[in-house]
Amino acid sequence: MEVLYRSTRGKGETVTASQAILQGLAKDGGLFVPNRIPELDVPMEKLSAMSYQEMAYEVMSRFFTDFTEEELKNCIAKAYDNKFDTEEIAPLTKAGGAYYLELFHGATIAFKDMALSILPHLMTVSARKNGVKNEIVILTATSGDTGKAALSGFADVPGTRIIVFYPQHGVSPIQEKQMVTQKGKNTHVVAIHGNFDDAQTGVKKIFNDTELAKELEEEGFQFSSANSINIGRLVPQVVYYVYAYANLVKNGEITDGEKINVTVPTGNFGNILAAFYAKQMGLPIAKLICASKENKVLYDFFRTGVYDRNREFILTTSPSMDILISSNLERLIYRIAGENPEKNRELMASLSAGGKYEITEEMRFSLEDFYGNYASEKETAAAISKMYGDTGYVIDTHTAVASAVYEKYKEETKDLETKTVIASTASPYKFTRSVLAAIDSSYDKLSDFDQIDELSRISNTAIPRAIEEIRTAPVLHTTECDVDEMDGIVKRFLGI
């Protein structure tokens, strides 16, 4: 049965999966959602015997119903290959009473690789399926990880260009070095004078500029997005939650049908929404534990039903979580509003106009699958230190937030029995300075790359290829701009 996609703010019109992937953001400003969540109708016994690539096909084929088997399998084969440094693609490590789902073994050592390795292939196939002759311009805002993963995925892909905006001084030194050294004739990187929300709002504004879209069309270009608002980013993320569950069954850690909790460090809400979709498909998930950092807009939302971005923006050692506008939450709001686009439009208009909205009591009742909490900078550092001290396992500053929040969840709910998977979203090598400072403050005097060598020594792990490559790589991107100059920068890059 075909799965079609409609906008969270639309009037019920539907598009195919390939059309939704191409557009990225709906023309009315809404996000594409499936008209139904397909059932995962494959026995767990069969799933647990599959490779990551085989499981990716079983999950994605149920969402991307207008792709042929050959098209989808070809995209999967190109995405999940030797770019990943482990055969399992997303291995599980048991440590400190939980199972850490390591999503950082790809080309840019962050979980964004899991989806951004396949998105360029999905997009080029989608363009071919829909007779698109225009060059596709990928426009992306990043809080650190999406940018590099998207740049890596789209570099020199024929028929595409990619422009990434990131907040100057709002990403880690390693994240910035990864982006500004990116090769590829079709890649552009811009540091904006502002924070991630400014970058994300600026990109959305460009997407919604109908005059600019017309101008681009005349010049043979069209926009699309590699952010997690693109359904082609979201669906591949569902796969690894299914894979984690199947591996727990295969390894005898749980029995088939036993419920697990999933804890996700959350910024833009896409990664935990993918876990929610996995649950809706039938995966036995009990609680979806939403872990926030000190900006804690999502924690407040789950506790009060009020989403309010009117607060001081705090830069933390977990920069990918330094977000006040969690774009993907709109998909969940649409669902708990009974898939009522009018109600959703009303709430999003309130967010746009006044920076806040409040959901109804009935909608709050629909959030019972979720638990929200947050970790401070001190608690995040303590989680890294404790994990290393107790087990020798080193986690990054985002995974540590999830670890700290999981401990709070157990303390608050007394749920000590349910096995829990924690999404480990980045390699500690990406945030070496913060990670080592949490373990021993004396490391602070070392240079960035000396710290990387030290982390390799104390963790007994090999330095990832992605880090070695940037040690001596030249800086290729030096463009900066104010937020109100973003559209002009785009036009300049495209020669318009």
Side-chain angles (χ1 to χ4, degrees):
M1 187 176 172
E2 189 175 21
V3 174
L4 295 171
Y5 293 81
R6 58 187 174 220
S7 169
T8 52
R9 305 183 195 181
K11 295 176 181 173
E13 309 94 328
T14 57
V15 298
T16 63
S18 62
Q19 290 167 340
I21 289 167
L22 272 179
Q23 287 186 48
L25 192 69
K27 289 173 183 173
D28 55 26
L31 307 187
F32 286 113
V33 289
N35 62 352
R36 64 181 182 87
I37 302 292
E39 183 188 352
L40 186 63
D41 53 358
V42 185
M44 189 53 63
E45 184 182 1
K46 189 176 176 184
L47 284 172
S48 61
M50 288 182 184
S51 67
Y52 191 88
Q53 293 84 346
E54 290 167 335
M55 194 174 298
Y57 175 76
E58 293 299 334
V59 174
M60 290 190 218
S61 63
R62 280 154 177 76
F63 282 96
F64 298 154
T65 53
D66 66 326
F67 283 70
T68 67
E69 180 176 348
E70 183 184 8
E71 286 170 339
L72 192 50
K73 284 186 173 176
N74 189 38
C75 289
I76 289 166
K78 286 178 179 176
Y80 304 112
D81 57 10
N82 60 10
K83 289 190 292 293
F84 289 81
D85 62 20
T86 58
E87 191 178 336
E88 306 99 309
I89 306 295
L92 278 168
T93 296
K94 189 175 183 180
Y99 301 86
Y100 287 80
L101 178 60
E102 295 183 351
L103 302 172
F104 52 76
H105 290 282
T108 73
I109 58 174
F111 83 99
K112 309 293 174 78
D113 289 323
M114 301 299 294
L116 282 165
S117 293
I118 194 168
L119 182 62
H121 306 293
L122 293 172
M123 203 166 275
T124 51
V125 170
S126 296
R128 194 164 61 242
K129 290 174 82 66
N130 289 279
V132 170
K133 300 288 188 261
N134 287 343
E135 199 164 353
I136 298 167
V137 180
I138 305 299
L139 206 60
T140 293
T142 184
S143 53
D145 285 337
T146 285
K148 173 58 183 178
L151 288 162
S152 178
F154 281 94
D156 292 325
V157 170
T160 69
R161 297 197 198 184
I162 178 164
I163 304 169
V164 169
F165 293 94
Y166 75 94
Q168 192 176 42
H169 312 305
V171 300
S172 80
I174 295 294
Q175 285 176 313
E176 184 170 44
K177 188 88 187 281
Q178 282 188 303
M179 286 189 282
V180 298
T181 59
Q182 176 65 50
K183 296 175 185 176
K185 291 179 181 177
N186 65 336
T187 64
H188 302 279
V189 181
V190 185
I192 68 147
H193 306 141
N195 59 41
F196 170 73
D197 288 330
D198 296 325
Q200 182 166 251
T201 300
V203 165
K204 284 184 177 179
K205 187 178 175 185
I206 294 171
F207 269 114
N208 292 327
D209 187 336
T210 53
E211 286 301 311
L212 181 58
K214 188 178 175 185
E215 206 174 337
L216 259 70
E217 176 70 32
E218 288 169 357
E219 297 291 335
F221 298 108
Q222 70 184 64
F223 284 134
S224 191
S225 172
N227 276 84
S228 58
I229 55 174
N230 193 314
I231 199 72
R233 270 277 307 272
L234 186 60
V235 167
Q237 293 177 277
V238 177
V239 176
Y240 47 71
Y241 293 110
V242 179
Y243 186 69
Y245 188 91
N247 271 351
L248 288 174
V249 171
K250 181 171 74 174
N251 297 335
E253 300 287 344
I254 60 172
T255 57
D256 184 4
E258 182 180 343
K259 287 191 174 184
I260 64 167
N261 295 325
V262 173
T263 307
V264 186
T266 310
N268 222 9
F269 206 75
N271 203 3
I272 195 164
L273 184 69
F276 175 73
Y277 275 16
K279 177 169 181 168
Q280 297 301 303
M281 289 185 85
L283 198 70
I285 294 175
K287 281 290 181 187
L288 296 154
I289 301 170
C290 179
S292 299
K293 200 63 186 281
E294 285 169 322
N295 287 293
K296 65 186 182 71
V297 65
L298 288 167
Y299 164 74
D300 290 341
F301 169 71
F302 283 116
R303 294 293 163 126
T304 67
V306 177
Y307 191 96
D308 186 356
R309 64 175 172 85
N310 299 308
R311 62 189 70 198
E312 180 189 358
F313 185 90
I314 302 168
L315 286 173
T316 75
T317 55
S318 312
S320 297
M321 301 173 72
D322 294 343
I323 293 172
L324 293 179
I325 305 172
S326 302
S327 290
N328 271 290
L329 185 63
E330 180 172 344
R331 286 184 163 113
L332 181 64
I333 295 298
Y334 173 77
R335 187 171 180 87
I336 65 173
E339 302 193 339
N340 181 338
E342 289 180 13
K343 178 63 178 174
N344 183 66
R345 274 199 304 272
E346 175 192 318
L347 293 170
M348 294 307 124
S350 179
L351 179 66
S352 181
K356 65 187 288 189
Y357 61 79
E358 183 170 5
I359 62 174
T360 65
E361 277 302 312
E362 186 181 2
M363 290 170 72
R364 283 191 71 184
F365 182 74
S366 299
L367 293 174
E368 61 185 0
D369 288 343
F370 291 87
Y371 167 90
N373 215 318
Y374 76 101
S376 67
E377 286 281 78
K378 188 176 179 182
E379 289 167 333
T380 302
I384 294 170
S385 177
K386 185 174 191 312
M387 181 63 71
Y388 179 70
D390 290 351
T391 69
Y393 186 56
V394 180
I395 54 177
D396 90 293
T397 50
H398 300 74
T399 307
V401 173
S403 183
V405 166
Y406 175 52
E407 292 303 318
K408 289 186 177 185
Y409 165 81
K410 288 192 292 184
E411 188 176 335
E412 187 176 326
T413 66
K414 309 305 178 194
D415 175 13
L416 307 178
E417 302 301 319
T418 309
K419 306 279 182 25
T420 297
V421 168
I422 293 177
S424 186
T425 53
S427 166
Y429 286 95
K430 206 152 195 172
F431 304 94
T432 316
R433 188 164 291 279
S434 298
V435 167
L436 284 180
I439 292 171
D440 186 339
S441 60
S442 67
Y443 290 126
D444 193 51
K445 60 184 181 291
L446 299 176
S447 70
D448 286 337
F449 282 100
D450 284 344
Q451 288 203 340
I452 283 164
D453 293 332
E454 186 62 18
L455 177 58
S456 175
R457 186 188 70 78
I458 70 165
S459 64
N460 197 30
T461 57
I463 298 169
R465 189 167 60 227
I467 297 294
E468 290 291 8
E469 285 173 353
I470 63 170
R471 273 188 196 262
T472 56
V475 171
L476 302 175
H477 305 275
T478 57
T479 305
E480 298 178 21
C481 77
D482 291 332
V483 177
D484 60 4
E485 298 173 319
M486 288 169 64
D487 55 349
I489 289 286
V490 169
K491 290 169 75 169
R492 192 183 89 198
F493 284 152
L494 300 179
I496 296 174

